[in-house]
Each structure stands twice: as C-alpha cells, then as structure tokens.
Amino acid sequence: MAEPSTTLGDTGDWAPVDFERHGRELLASLREHFEHVRDVPVARPYDPAGLMARLDTAAPERGEDFSRILADTWDQVVPDLVQWNHPAFHGYFSTCASFPGVLAETMTAALNVNAMLWKTSPSASALELVVLRWLADMAGYPADADAVLVGGASLATLYALGAARDAAYPHDVREHGLAGPDAAVPRIYTSDQAHSSVDKAAITLGVGLRNVVRIPADSGYRMRPDLLEAAIAEDVAAGRRPVAVVATVGTTSVAAADPLGPIADICRRHGVWLHVDAAYGGLFALSTALRPALEDVSVGDSLVVNPQKTLFVPLDATSLHCRRRGALANTYRLVPEYLTSAHPGGAADFMDLSPQLGRGFRALKLWWVIRAFGLDGLRSRLDHAVALAGELRGLAAAHPDWHCPVPSDYPLVCLRYQPSDGPRTDTPEGRAALDALNARIVAELNDAGEAFVSHSVIRDGYVIRISLANIHTTADDITRLWAALNRVAEKTR
Ligand SMILES: Cc1ncc(COP(=O)(O)O)c(C=O)c1O
C-alpha cells in the first residue's frame, strides 16, 4: 500500500499546509458534485448486505492517503446515501444545507469550541444569544425569553416538557422524582396529529405513554379546543395533574396548525403550560406569503422552531425558547465544583438550560446563513418555496387523476393518485387498493432516483408527501417532478 503523501509533522496530525491542500481537494469534489447534482440519483434501491460487505473492512493498521479516503467516500459511500441536499429531495420535512452553512460547519469543526459555559466560549455564547434573539424575532416570540440551541425539535420538546413537569408539581420533582409527596398522575395533552416526539418525551420523563392524551383534530386536522377543555376538566376532577398541552404549528402529516388562541385561553384558565411545537411552521412567519395567515406562537410558555428544516442551516440546529424566565434553569441547572465560574452580568451559561453539558458552536452556522442571505433574502427564498408548492398544487388540481386531499398554505404538498378507472374508494377493499397503488408510486419513484418523496396516512387514506425546502429547487425541478410522478403513476396503475 502506498505511503500517505501527507506530511504528519511533529504533532501526529496533518501539517496545516496539507490541511489546506486536502480541503481544496474536498471543496473541488463538492463543487463538481453540486454543479452536476441533477445527474446524481437522489436515492437508489438499497441492499444492506451488499453495502455492508463493501464497507465492513478491518480498521486499517496504518494511516491512509486522504485522496484515497476521499475517492472511496465518493465511490463507496455517497452513492448509497439518500441525497438530502439535492434539489429533487422532497421527503419527510426536507432539510437543506446552504453553502454558507456548510462552510460554517467546517469552521466550527476546525475551532472545535465547547459552548457549555460563558467562560469556555465567550463569543460563541454571545453569538448564541444573538441568533436566538434573531430567531425569536423571526417567529414572533418574545426576544427576551430564555432560549437555547439544541440538537433537534424532539429534544427541545423533551426539555420543555421536563420544565413543564417540574412547574406542575408543588413538591420538588428534582429532589423527589414524580413519586414524591404529591404523586398525582401527570397528563400531557396533544392532538392526534402531533409528532411522536411528544410520546418519546413522555416515555423519557416517566410520564408514560398512557398519560399522553391525544385530543381529536377537526376536519382541518387542527386540535379541537372544546375536546381539550373537556379532557383537562375530566382529569382535574379525577385528581390527575395536567402538566402541559403541546400544540403544533405545521403538523408532520399535512402541515396543519392548531388554533393557538383558544388553546392558550384554556391553558391559562387551568394553569397548564403550553408548549408550541412550531418545528416546521414557526419560521414561515418570515415569509410574506404566509405570515398574515399564521398562528401567533407568542402565546406559548415555550416554543420550538427548527432552522434545520426551514432556514437552510445544516443539521442540527433547533432553538427552544421559554418565556417563563428561569423555568428551564430551575430544572436543568446543576453546577458541580469543576464547572463553577464567576462572570460579569450579561453572561449566560448555556449548560444551565438543558441537560446537555458539552455542546458545539451551533450559533456560527446560523449567524453565517442569516448574514449571508439577510432577512429579505430568507423571506424571498421561503416565498419561492411557497410559490413552487402552489404551482405543484395547481398542476394536480388541473389533472383529473390527481387530488390534493388537504389544503395547506405551507410548501408541503399532499397528493393522491386516483385515476377514474382505478380502484373505487367506497369500499374498504377499494381504499386499500388505492393506498397500495400510491405506496407503489412512492417506492417506484424513489427507486428510480429522479426525485425522493415520502408518505403519510391521513383520515381518508395514504397520501404522497412532497416537501419543498431545498434552496436550489427551481420551477424546472417542479416540472420534472410532475413529469416523473405521472410517468411512474401511469406505469404503476
Ligand atoms: C411537527 C414536528 N415536530 C417535531 C419533529 C422532530 O424534529 P427533529 O427531527 O428535529 O427532532 C418533527 C420532525 O419532522 C416534526 O414534524
């Protein structure tokens, strides 16, 4: 095997000159990738055994040349990735890493800052305060709320519900756990459309899945406040303890938004914490097209928004905001001797606001992306996605075989292929056949590699979900996607 051509110098690491040389190699290969990204399959059928047979080698005894490692990455790893950063990736809630964000990740890794305490990272902590205030302003949440960057919306909801649980009990839950002197059964309310992260939080917090009360949604997939009120009243009468309501702005299946005003009124009357999961919908408050129609998230005691979903910032970047000042620290602040620090006013120790101690410098990528595009640039990019979704809905509406079973303002388009000579929908067997047809369309489309979509099942059956969030997606991409959907659908029916 050839000796690595990289100079290792005295330190054992690459010499800085080789770091730059390899960095240029990497960037050149990424440039090539993105210049021809529309020729790259978004995904291909996967074969776990074949993939493992190719990748599962013994760890090399001796260091290898970077050019070889890079070439192997492109040849053996990248083709079996699903290309989430592809303009034709529309699965789940698609995420998008814009180029300034990608470079910020490189700088973050190079400096390798730990933003746990102000004193371990003064300007990382200061920038975190700044971008959190920017994000709060964008979403319409009080900018002076406590806030922290965390590793995903599921964790943000877990952390918020931890604080809500502690606030709901008069005894010190930190000290005694839930089995303390006031052992009333904790209850969390959320709609039947809410994300599974609420259930996971209930599992983790010891609340238990059976104490997550799923409130039915109305015909528009929005939580019904009257049923929420009734559920809370019933629990109070039975001696159970309402801990929190989790309302969603931008539900996972169809991007519906719960009616926050009436829900907040109920929470206020019953003294229950309202957590707003606006992971998907919250930052669309920036969009001129959507803002007027959006729910006011400022009524939440806590709020999560996910720039990694909507603001072209690479994974992971999520912000948790909490207007009950001190509540997060009340639950999560714990300072052993080796982490004590004395600092002047205005400083914040982010380790106090979540269970995480060591934490990276997530603020830099937000700072770079927001500065690189500006609020106006972000606004127009979000408006562009909303307009592309409108085009796709328009194409479907004009076609006799395609239906949009749920309206949405967001750039999440739910479609169903329902040819007039296809399966009937007035029998369970016909419904199942229609669902199966749409599932085959998703599988075939994704296997073909031209685009990637995902699915959900709503009240009247299976829907193809198309999320438009990539900064590089154009009107031509929508035309190509529409052609691919039709080609696959006609072949599959
Ligand atoms: C409404 C909603 N909340 C929370 C989450 C969880 O987000 P994350 O993957 O950042 O944990 C999702 C994921 O798509 C979501 O759709």
Side-chain angles (χ1 to χ4, degrees):
M1 186 187 299
E3 272 296 309
S5 62
T6 307
T7 336
L8 290 182
D10 294 338
T11 64
D13 199 356
W14 294 345
V17 65
D18 287 318
F19 172 58
E20 179 187 342
R21 183 162 59 85
H22 293 326
R24 286 177 187 278
E25 255 180 276
L26 168 63
L27 279 182
S29 70
L30 284 169
R31 173 185 166 172
E32 171 81 15
H33 172 78
F34 282 109
E35 280 182 346
H36 301 104
V37 71
R38 287 179 179 78
D39 301 331
V40 176
V42 192
R44 66 180 187 188
Y46 54 86
D47 156 29
L51 182 57
M52 282 310 292
R54 257 186 297 126
L55 294 182
D56 192 8
T57 59
E61 199 57 46
R62 304 185 58 201
E64 297 180 45
D65 190 69
F66 178 70
S67 305
R68 168 87 188 273
I69 300 171
L70 183 59
D72 284 350
T73 305
W74 284 111
D75 293 346
Q76 295 181 29
V77 179
V78 176
D80 281 298
L81 294 175
V82 173
Q83 306 299 328
W84 280 68
N85 214 17
H86 191 295
F89 179 88
H90 307 296
Y92 309 100
F93 278 132
S94 39
T95 52
C96 170
S98 60
F99 294 142
V102 174
L103 288 186
E105 283 285 48
T106 308
M107 179 129 187
T108 302
L111 299 176
N112 203 26
V113 167
N114 189 332
M116 58 186 187
L117 296 171
W118 188 275
K119 83 168 182 190
T120 64
S121 54
S123 53
S125 298
L127 270 194
E128 186 155 341
L129 287 177
V130 171
V131 297
L132 285 163
R133 181 169 55 71
W134 289 358
L135 291 169
D137 280 342
M138 288 180 210
Y141 198 75
D144 62 351
D146 289 338
V148 59
L149 292 174
V150 300
S154 303
L155 290 179
T157 292
L158 170 67
Y159 303 158
L161 292 179
R165 178 201 57 189
D166 295 356
Y169 286 84
H171 78 269
D172 184 349
V173 176
R174 272 173 60 126
E175 190 61 27
H176 301 282
L178 274 180
D182 173 6
V185 172
R187 303 283 271 180
I188 292 172
Y189 310 84
T190 197
S191 96
D192 58 13
Q193 300 297 306
H195 190 259
S196 54
S197 51
V198 180
D199 300 304
K200 280 206 176 180
I203 295 169
T204 313
L205 293 169
V207 167
L209 284 176
R210 69 169 51 179
N211 292 311
V212 177
V213 184
R214 289 282 186 164
I215 307 294
D218 65 15
S219 59
Y221 295 90
R222 297 153 52 93
M223 191 199 295
R224 280 186 51 186
D226 57 326
L227 298 182
L228 172 66
E229 172 103 58
I232 293 177
E234 187 185 325
D235 279 346
V236 171
R240 294 184 282 258
R241 178 67 44 85
V243 163
V245 174
V246 180
T248 312
V249 175
T251 57
T252 311
S253 287
V254 302
D258 291 333
L260 295 186
I263 292 172
D265 284 345
I266 295 167
C267 289
R268 249 190 312 273
R269 258 186 285 113
H270 290 274
V272 180
W273 183 297
L274 173 58
H275 174 63
V276 177
D277 176 357
Y280 178 62
L283 291 169
F284 281 103
L286 199 57
S287 138
T288 6
L290 292 194
R291 178 160 205 140
L294 293 187
E295 294 289 332
D296 171 12
V297 299
S298 71
V299 295
D301 294 286
S302 52
L303 168 77
V304 51
V305 296
N306 227 351
Q308 71 191 28
K309 284 188 169 57
T310 44
L311 224 56
F312 319 111
V313 179
L315 284 163
D316 46 33
T318 296
S319 62
L320 169 63
H321 306 256
C322 181
R323 61 186 307 160
R324 288 205 195 185
R325 301 288 303 267
L328 289 171
N330 185 49
T331 295
Y332 300 113
R333 182 174 152 80
L334 184 71
V335 188
E337 179 54 35
Y338 43 83
L339 293 174
T340 51
S341 62
H343 42 54
D349 290 337
F350 280 101
M351 73 160 190
D352 290 348
L353 301 186
S354 87
Q356 194 175 8
L357 176 58
R359 47 199 300 287
F361 184 6
R362 293 192 181 101
L364 190 71
K365 57 191 169 187
L366 282 150
W367 200 58
W368 280 28
V369 169
I370 297 169
R371 288 189 59 187
F373 299 137
L375 290 181
D376 201 45
L378 292 170
R379 200 172 286 126
S380 62
R381 283 163 177 81
L382 294 179
D383 285 344
H384 171 69
V386 172
L388 291 181
E391 278 175 39
L392 185 57
R393 285 194 193 95
L395 289 166
H399 194 292
D401 294 342
W402 287 94
H403 298 270
C404 281
V406 260
S408 175
D409 297 327
Y410 292 98
L412 172 72
V413 182
C414 292
L415 295 181
R416 183 176 295 133
Y417 185 62
Q418 196 167 337
S420 45
D421 60 348
R424 297 170 49 125
T425 55
D426 51 0
T427 63
E429 298 73 31
R431 273 258 153 252
L434 190 66
D435 287 356
L437 169 61
N438 279 270
R440 283 201 305 278
I441 293 172
V442 169
E444 294 259 332
L445 184 75
N446 291 350
D447 280 357
E450 213 175 318
F452 190 98
V453 300
S454 61
H455 80 280
S456 191
V457 174
I458 59 174
R459 288 203 187 108
D460 59 350
Y462 189 102
V463 284
I464 303 174
R465 283 174 79 268
I466 298 166
S467 162
L468 299 166
N470 191 282
I471 198 165
H472 300 288
T473 306
T474 62
D476 283 350
D477 291 313
I478 299 303
T479 308
R480 265 192 293 276
L481 170 66
W482 182 240
L485 276 167
N486 277 287
R487 198 179 52 248
V488 171
E490 272 154 34
K491 191 175 124 215
T492 311
R493 63 196 271 181

